[in-house]
Amino acid sequence: MKQHTPPHPGTLVADNIAALNLSLHEVAVALNVSSSRLQRITKQQIAISPEMAVRLSYVIGSSPEWWLRMQDAYSLYHAKQKVDLSRLKPLSTAQGSNS
């Protein structure tokens, strides 16, 4: 089964900004962050930190845990694409038993 690519949470931040008909600057002020930081998030250049998840939860909605789960799903998917497992050696015969 082919796994779908999870969206970067910045995509949803950008969608919310557009749906609310607000400028990036207005939302950055509401979040108390720089416009450049928010722009890097919406352009999927940086990850959502726990602190940003708390801010987004308060200003946009959803829980901080939800924002972090989105970021984790995105980050983990891309890590699985990058990491070359062929050079790794499992320490036990039950591969992935700690997963």
Side-chain angles (χ1 to χ4, degrees), residues 15-65:
D15 290 347
N16 275 278
I17 291 170
L20 294 169
N21 201 27
L22 297 171
S23 71
L24 191 89
H25 177 74
E26 289 171 310
V27 177
V29 168
L31 291 166
N32 194 31
V33 298
S34 69
S35 295
S36 63
R37 181 174 176 197
L38 184 57
Q39 183 177 34
R40 287 192 310 269
I41 289 170
T42 61
K43 299 276 187 193
Q44 304 174 29
Q45 295 170 340
I46 62 172
I48 300 285
S49 67
E51 293 82 6
M52 181 57 78
V54 171
R55 292 170 190 261
L56 290 168
S57 173
Y58 187 80
V59 172
I60 294 178
S62 295
S63 69
E65 294 83 5

Side-chain angles (χ1 to χ4, degrees), residues 8-10 46-48 66-76:
H8 187 283
I46 62 172
I48 300 285
W66 184 84
W67 287 104
L68 288 177
R69 279 193 304 271
M70 282 201 65
Q71 183 63 58
D72 284 347
Y74 177 85
S75 298
L76 184 57

